[in-house]
DNA sequence: CGTTGCGTTGAGTACCATCAACTGGGGTGG
DNA sequence: CCACCCCAGTTGATGGTACTCAACGCAACG
């Protein structure tokens, strides 16, 4: 991420729902690196460029820690993370917070959004981030006109469910070191699919508090476990970057066997 | 459940894919109590009865503990539990097993089945059970012809996701007594929707081993926690039947606050 | 009447939480 | 420039929750 927010903590917006054919290039989507790995490509360009004008979308920018969606709010839009990381979570009045899933660039907050107008979870930016709101109505209209798109949507629903099932197994049946190693490995896999890994190093902007809220542990224990990983020469985490030092051993610890 | 399997542990099948209009009444579906609460009704009767002949389906019967679907198998069918209980789970070579979700009568194993030909989980019957295999191809064909059905399908996908998110929170952030009380309350809610509760009692065929595999605990600890529930006068479990003795207090323990 | 499966109970222990103190970096303000 | 604070992370001490191992009761069953 090398772009910056001009305003002080407030979201700035770039509307694109009134675009005409000549300013297509100005749309962030035109330069989107992950467009082809998610549904955006299918929604906006697949099969016919004319489809562009049929989908209303708005890009917005938020700072780290800002809330992107608040539990229970009604919304007319589906949200895609374009740049930066975010997460989906639930929080109880007593402070307990569980992160349900990490959202990386290209991820839909949920692929079910076209059919649902409010959700039981909230979404918060982990880093400074840019995301895109796409009109749910327009997506549904596209789907009705081109039922083939359902197959593509289903792919993302399936991937979401698989991730959810894996995390369920993680929390139910695995120990702290397995969970944390597994988390790092799964993030690595997702980044690898996006070609964001060089020299066994990759961006990892999660605070230990986030890791704790994903894995169901406390930040203190996360620190200890990562400390032992470091001492055992498995990996290093510093400055928001993970460096894998011993991948096979890390897989042995965190692998699903 | 008052029907019985005639064979010794082997599945007997009732095929219905060659039915003609005059033997509709003989199909188990015609007498299905939950037909209107799931997608079967929509698939087979919604809008026009003529749709019947367009969906191939086969009913099968299994004994408790039999495997209904084995992880990784390719299948041409979506599965609906018609009668009895089942569960979706993953198991590691070392024996660790996590139950991902309970399947009650009327539940699709997963509403994503029409789009997926193999799965990362297995499905096993908890009690003697009857289920229905519906041709995935035929479901997709119906969906393509009547896109409105997607909205109904989406309802079930949304419900599945909400359940999964709740269970994630459970496993990540809640203690043993909260998890077990919550499990019982959620099962109660689902049965209530099916009107299967009388006098604060309902069928509960889960062994403590199952409760353990759902909640991420050990059977020993499940026994202790349920023992304290009993001593505190919250509930009784005996002979596969739960009796709620103090609902408000149970909600206080297991509520999501 | 032995066997088998399920649940209960006890004793000892491992894992992880909690509480607390401390470190080091980065920003802010005097 | 330095004092100060805040935040994230680390480390130690202690305790509780839940696990493991083991024994036993009990009902169902052949």
């Amino acid at each position: 991420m090398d772009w910056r927010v001009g305003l002080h903590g407030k979201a700035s917006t770039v509307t694109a729902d009134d675009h005409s054919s000549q300013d297509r290039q100005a749309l962030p989507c035109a330069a989107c690196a992950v467009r082809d790995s998610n549904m955006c490509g299918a929604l906006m360009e697949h099969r016919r460029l004319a489809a562009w004008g049929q989908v209303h979308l708005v890009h917005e920018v938020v700072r780290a820690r800002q809330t992107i969606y608040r539990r229970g709010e009604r919304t007319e839009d589906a949200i895609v993370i374009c740049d930066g990381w975010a997460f989906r979570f639930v929080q109880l009045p007593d402070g307990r917070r569980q992160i349900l899933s990490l959202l990386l660039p290209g991820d839909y907050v949920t692929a079910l959004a076209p059919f649902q107008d409010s959700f039981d979870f909230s979404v918060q930016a982990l880093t400074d981030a840019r995301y895109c709101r796409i009109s749910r109505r327009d997506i549904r209209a596209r789907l009705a006109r081109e039922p083939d798109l359902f197959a593509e949507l289903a792919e993302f629903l399936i991937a979401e469910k698989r991730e959810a099932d894996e995390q369920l197994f993680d929390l139910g049946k695995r120990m702290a070191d397995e969970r944390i190693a597994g988390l790092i490995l799964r993030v690595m896999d997702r980044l690898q699919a996006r070609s964001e890994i060089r020299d066994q190093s990759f961006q990892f902007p999660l605070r230990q508090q986030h890791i704790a809220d994903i894995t169901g542990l406390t930040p203190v224990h996360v620190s200890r476990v990562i400390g032992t990983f470091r001492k055992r020469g498995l990996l290093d985490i510093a400055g928001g970057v993970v460096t894998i030092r011993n991948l096979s051993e890390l897989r042995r610890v965190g692998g699903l066997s």
Side-chain angles (χ1 to χ4, degrees), chain A:
Chain A
M1 263 177 314
D2 48 10
W3 49 269
R4 280 289 174 270
V5 187
L7 312 174
H8 299 294
K10 296 292 291 178
S12 78
T13 69
V14 182
T15 70
D17 51 354
D18 54 350
H19 59 273
S20 54
S21 58
Q22 55 264 34
D23 64 5
R24 273 180 204 167
Q25 299 308 328
L27 259 184
C29 298
C32 177
V34 293
R35 190 184 49 195
D36 293 331
S37 70
N38 68 8
M39 272 242 326
C40 291
L43 273 179
M44 296 196 289
E45 306 191 46
H46 208 230
R47 274 176 276 280
R48 45 177 176 156
L49 275 168
W52 265 78
Q54 299 165 356
V55 177
H56 286 234
L57 42 84
V58 179
H59 283 261
E60 298 188 357
V61 164
V62 286
R63 284 217 165 275
R65 295 156 176 280
Q66 274 192 307
T67 296
I68 294 175
Y69 171 81
R70 197 177 309 278
R71 169 180 191 158
E73 272 179 9
R74 295 189 140 259
T75 173
E76 296 301 318
D77 306 306
I79 295 177
V80 186
I81 306 300
C82 301
D83 208 346
W85 293 28
F87 57 90
R88 214 162 57 80
F89 70 100
V90 286
Q91 189 152 25
L92 255 50
D94 64 14
R96 288 186 284 186
R97 180 177 78 168
Q98 175 70 36
I99 293 183
L100 301 170
S101 64
L102 277 181
L103 305 170
L104 305 192
D107 287 341
Y108 277 70
V109 165
T110 166
L112 277 172
F115 303 100
Q116 202 171 2
D117 62 3
S118 80
F119 303 87
D120 287 336
F121 51 77
S122 302
V123 179
Q124 185 177 315
L126 182 71
T127 64
D128 290 350
R130 188 164 48 86
Y131 63 93
C132 178
R133 298 182 170 277
I134 308 179
S135 160
R136 292 171 45 230
R137 260 183 85 248
D138 291 351
I139 297 177
R140 285 203 307 274
R142 280 296 305 278
L143 287 168
R145 253 179 289 121
E146 299 181 40
D148 291 353
L149 284 180
F150 274 108
E152 310 203 30
L153 182 63
E155 289 302 311
F156 294 98
L157 292 170
I158 289 166
E160 271 185 28
K161 185 155 196 67
R162 185 171 41 238
E163 286 267 334
D165 286 348
E166 272 179 31
Q167 202 179 347
L168 270 181
F169 186 89
D170 245 45
L171 294 180
K173 289 283 125 83
R174 303 176 82 211
M175 320 216 65
D177 53 348
E178 301 176 291
R179 293 185 210 177
I180 294 174
L183 168 65
I184 293 170
L185 289 169
R186 270 178 287 148
V187 167
M188 190 171 76
D189 286 345
R190 288 168 71 180
L191 291 177
Q192 214 137 37
R194 293 167 170 78
S195 313
E196 295 185 15
I197 298 189
R198 271 190 290 264
D199 301 334
Q200 300 298 317
S201 286
F202 52 91
Q203 293 295 122
F204 196 78
L206 298 174
R207 310 280 102 202
Q208 291 188 351
Q209 178 70 57
H210 296 119
I211 300 177
D213 288 339
I214 293 171
T215 55
L217 304 166
T218 56
V220 176
H221 199 61
V222 169
S223 171
R224 290 188 214 279
V225 172
I226 291 180
T228 68
F229 284 176
R230 216 191 314 268
K231 276 186 209 114
R232 290 205 274 161
L234 299 188
L235 53 76
D236 272 314
I237 303 186
V241 173
V242 169
T243 304
I244 306 294
R245 302 242 177 262
N246 187 339
L247 181 57
S248 58
E249 181 66 5
L250 190 64
R251 279 202 203 286
R252 211 187 53 73
V253 173
L256 294 169
S257 303

